[in-house]
Amino acid sequence: MAAQVEIVDNGEIIDTLSHHASGDYSSTILLREENHEYDVVKNCFLSGMSLHAAETTVVSVRKTSAQRITAKAKLAASNVFAEAMKRKNGGDANVRYGWYSGSKEEIERIVSYGFSSSEVEKFEKDDRSHGVGVHFLHHTCSKAAAVLGEADEEGIEHLLLCRLILGKPERIIAGSKQTYPSSSEYDCGVDDLENPRKYVIWSCNMNSYILPSHVVSFKSPTLRGLIRGGGGGLGRARSPCVSFPILMSILSKSLDRPRMNVILTTYVDFRKGKVRREQLIRKMREVVGDELLLDIIKNHRNSD
């Protein structure tokens, strides 16, 4: 029977997965557009893109395959951990879904082999991260996840939707360097207990409490048009709207010291060849935000 995913009235995705018993032994299975599961995941993604949804094209939706022996073992282990979490927390494992942003190669590696220290290292030097672990965005926040993504050589971006066992969360403040639960009472981190947008799964639990579910591949010109590592704006365009030195000067007048220090550190590493252009752009978009960057570009154009 084909896998099914449903969204209940409160907007949370509930897990009713029963994986497709096909002969496909690859890491993912392409879902057909007429498939109910395709519609649910696509609609979940587009509903979180807000005003950009109309200009966003979903290229494909793929689900992770459970046909390989290792994939079957991961699915079985995830179910065991969910049951254990239920017993620990009075019958509620607090299973949710969240988006993970990454390059095509990174997501392919995660789907095939699981999460590793390289995913955790992304947040070790980020003064705005809520702890050092694997970070996800609430399933309704696909736009925020898409902003952090990287386009591939064809201009297509990819987001990974994961099933998360959250258990009992604790609030982690921005800039925290916490790497483990503060006590055995807690199981994960969130940015806000009442209305969480960001989930943090600690590295010690990342391949126990995280199960990759679907890969959404898409094109969104309105998002890429501002600054995109694989295309326009300050990405690989031949005539960038604002040069990096000018942009640094403008940002220094607009950002607080902690955020500006993050940008400057990454920029210095870029000048030394330690980080790629795409990584610098991604960090700038993550720290500054698209709206402010767009205002800077527009104002610079108008002043020329």
Side-chain angles (χ1 to χ4, degrees), residues 96-166:
R96 295 290 184 265
Y97 278 74
W99 296 106
Y100 181 84
S101 301
S103 65
K104 176 182 178 182
E105 294 76 17
E106 181 183 3
I107 290 177
E108 287 179 346
R109 185 177 65 250
I110 291 170
V111 170
S112 297
Y113 304 109
F115 286 86
S116 67
S117 58
S118 62
E119 283 74 56
V120 177
E121 289 170 359
K122 284 184 179 182
F123 304 96
E124 288 183 343
K125 297 181 180 180
D126 189 343
D127 291 334
R128 300 183 68 198
S129 65
H130 296 261
V132 181
V134 184
H135 286 231
F136 296 86
L137 285 162
H138 191 281
H139 76 268
T140 61
C141 300
S142 51
K143 174 188 171 184
V147 164
L148 301 176
E150 298 179 20
D152 62 20
E153 64 278 0
E154 297 180 1
I156 300 173
E157 292 191 62
H158 312 269
L159 288 181
L160 178 61
L161 185 64
C162 293
R163 174 181 182 250
L164 310 173
I165 303 173
L166 300 182

Side-chain angles (χ1 to χ4, degrees), residues 40-74:
V40 171
V41 177
K42 176 183 176 181
N43 291 337
C44 174
F45 167 74
L46 290 177
S47 65
M49 293 294 286
S50 62
L51 298 178
H52 297 277
E55 302 297 328
T56 298
T57 300
V58 174
V59 177
S60 68
V61 175
R62 306 185 71 91
K63 68 175 180 180
T64 57
S65 171
Q67 298 310 304
R68 294 183 304 169
I69 294 177
T70 54
K72 289 180 180 180
K74 289 178 182 178

Side-chain angles (χ1 to χ4, degrees), residues 4 9 15 23 27 104 130 149 160 244 264 281:
Q4 295 181 348
D9 292 341
D15 185 16
S27 297
K104 176 182 178 182
H130 296 261
L160 178 61
F244 282 128
L264 287 175
I281 292 169

